Amino acid sequence: MNRPTDRVRKLARLRAIIDARGAEGLLLTSAESLAWLFDGARVSVPLGGPAVLTAAVDADGSIFVHAPANEVDRLREEELGGGVRIQELPWFEPLPVAADGWLTEGDVVPELRAARASLLPAELERYRALGTEVAALTTDVLAATRPDRTERAVAADLAARLVAAGAEPVVLLVAGEARTGVPHPLPTAARLGARAMAVVGARRDGLIVNLTRWVGADPGDGTREAALREVEADALAATEPGRVLSDVLGDIARSYERHGFGADAWLRHHQGGPTGYLGRDPKATPAAADRIVAGQAFAWNPWAPGLKLEDTVVVHADGIEELTTDPRWPVVDARGRQRPRTLGYGEELP
C-alpha cells in the first residue's frame, strides 16, 4: 500500500472534535469514516457491508486498530499503510465498543460529516481520476448499446467495466423506454427501446461518483428538457460555500415551480446533495442544517417523469468543478455550462 496520504490533516480534524467534547478519544466504526481516515482503504468485505475493523483515535492523534485475525494481514499489507498498530481478535469475537470517556460515532455524527466534507489534495486527486474514468467507461458502454438490449444486459456491462477499473458499483439503474418515469429503475429484463437511461454510482478509494446518462431518441419535448436543465443550473448556482443545505434545497424547490414543473415537483424524487464517502452525505432535506464548505463534493439529481440529470461536482471558492465528464460525450449549452445531452444510438463520437 503506497497511496498518497492526507492522514495528518485528517487526524487534526479528529483531534479537534475530541478536544471540543473534552473526551479521551473517538472510536471510528463506520465504513465511510474508516475509508476516509485510511486514504480510501477497502474496509468492508461484503460490498456495502459493515467495516471489518475499528480505529480508536486518542486525544494525541494516535491510532489503534482492532480487526479479526483473518483480516489482519490483508489490512496491514494492502490497505492501512504504516504507523498503525493492529490488535487482532479471534474471528468469532465482536469488535470492541468505546471505553468510558471515549466518543462513539453516534455522539458526533454532524462533526464527522463536517470533517469529511472538505476534500484534501490527495483525496481530490483520486476523486478526479475516478470521475474521469467512470464517465469514460459509461460512454464506452452506452455508445455500443442498441434498442434491443435489455436493461440487465446494460447494467451487467457497466458492472464489468467498473470492477475492471478497480471500482465497486454501488448504484446501477437502467430504464428502458417503458420505465423512464420510474425514479429508481432497478434493471429488469425489459428492452431498452427508443430511449433509455443509465444511472451509475461507483466507489473507488472510498470515494463515490454519481452520474446519469441517456441514449436513444431525444425526449421529444425540448422545452421540458431545457426547463430541467434550468433547475439544475439553479441548483449549482445555489451551491455556494457558507450556505445551509436546507436553504439550497428550498431554492431548488422554487426553481421547479418557476420553470413550469409545479410547486410540488421537488417532492416526487429526492434531489441529491453532498457526496464523497457516502452516496449522499447527507441527502438534502428541509431539516438538513449542514453548512456547505469549499472543497465539498455534490451530486444533485433534478428529476421529472422521463427526465433526469446528474453529475458529480466539487464546489470551490471560485466556482464549480465537474468531475464526471468525458469530452467524447455530446453536450448542449446550459447557461454557459456544457452539459450532456442524449446520445443517439449509433451516433459517432469524436
Side-chain angles (χ1 to χ4, degrees):
M1 180 271 182
N2 191 29
R3 287 186 292 266
T5 182
D6 298 302
R7 197 172 302 174
V8 171
R9 294 175 66 179
K10 292 173 182 175
L11 286 170
R13 294 178 183 180
L14 294 178
R15 290 178 65 188
I17 294 171
I18 295 166
D19 290 346
R21 292 296 192 101
E24 294 181 31
L26 168 62
L27 183 67
L28 297 180
T29 54
S30 72
E32 60 269 20
S33 291
L34 290 162
W36 167 75
L37 176 60
F38 292 118
D39 309 302
R42 295 172 295 178
V43 298
S44 301
V45 174
L47 296 182
V52 296
L53 69 148
T54 63
V57 180
D58 67 20
D60 294 327
S62 299
I63 306 171
F64 192 83
V65 167
H66 281 87
N70 58 314
E71 299 288 352
V72 166
D73 289 344
R74 178 184 68 84
L75 290 171
R76 181 180 288 115
E77 295 170 10
E78 300 178 2
E79 305 297 339
L80 302 186
V84 178
R85 294 173 295 168
I86 303 178
Q87 174 65 53
E88 64 180 65
L89 303 170
W91 60 262
F92 51 84
E93 287 192 7
L95 293 169
V97 298
D100 290 343
W102 281 62
L103 298 168
T104 68
E105 288 206 29
D107 296 324
V108 288
V109 171
E111 293 97 321
L112 279 176
R113 199 159 57 222
R116 293 193 298 267
S118 182
L119 295 164
L120 293 164
E123 292 176 291
L124 188 53
E125 181 181 347
R126 290 192 286 266
Y127 217 1
R128 286 171 174 147
L130 176 62
T132 298
E133 196 164 347
V134 171
L137 68 84
T138 302
T139 298
D140 292 341
V141 170
L142 297 184
T145 201
R146 294 296 180 265
D148 62 346
R149 300 213 72 209
T150 67
E151 295 170 350
R152 286 175 182 157
V154 173
D157 290 346
L158 289 166
R161 289 294 304 270
L162 289 171
V163 172
E168 302 169 1
V170 296
V171 176
L172 279 179
L173 307 176
V174 183
E177 179 182 6
R179 302 179 66 238
T180 57
V182 178
H184 283 149
L186 297 173
T188 71
R191 305 285 178 181
L192 297 187
R195 177 172 166 79
M197 176 186 75
V199 179
V200 177
R203 178 193 289 114
R204 188 173 69 192
D205 300 318
L207 292 159
I208 297 172
V209 295
N210 310 272
L211 62 84
T212 296
R213 296 290 185 267
W214 291 83
V215 292
D218 67 40
D221 183 352
T223 302
R224 285 182 74 246
E225 185 178 39
L228 194 65
R229 293 192 189 285
E230 287 296 314
V231 174
E232 180 187 53
D234 285 342
L236 293 173
T239 309
E240 296 181 330
R243 296 204 66 202
V244 175
L245 192 55
S246 59
D247 292 341
V248 177
L249 180 62
D251 289 347
I252 294 170
R254 289 185 287 274
S255 179
Y256 274 99
E257 183 174 17
R258 187 167 59 252
H259 294 295
F261 291 99
D264 64 346
W266 69 281
L267 295 170
R268 297 173 188 165
H269 189 35
H270 77 81
Q271 301 302 307
T275 188
Y277 289 88
L278 287 170
R280 298 293 186 265
D281 194 15
K283 189 179 294 180
T285 70
D290 301 64
R291 198 170 290 276
I292 297 169
V293 295
Q296 189 169 13
F298 277 78
W300 295 113
N301 50 256
W303 180 93
L307 298 169
K308 181 174 182 280
L309 305 171
E310 181 183 26
D311 273 289
T312 303
V313 305
V314 174
V315 179
H316 297 291
D318 58 354
I320 299 287
E321 176 186 1
E322 298 180 20
L323 298 187
T324 45
T325 59
D326 179 356
R328 297 174 299 162
W329 193 278
V331 296
V332 295
D333 182 85
R335 211 185 298 174
R337 192 179 298 277
Q338 300 302 296
R339 300 296 297 126
R341 65 163 172 81
T342 301
L343 175 69
Y345 289 125
E347 181 177 347
E348 290 190 12
L349 297 176

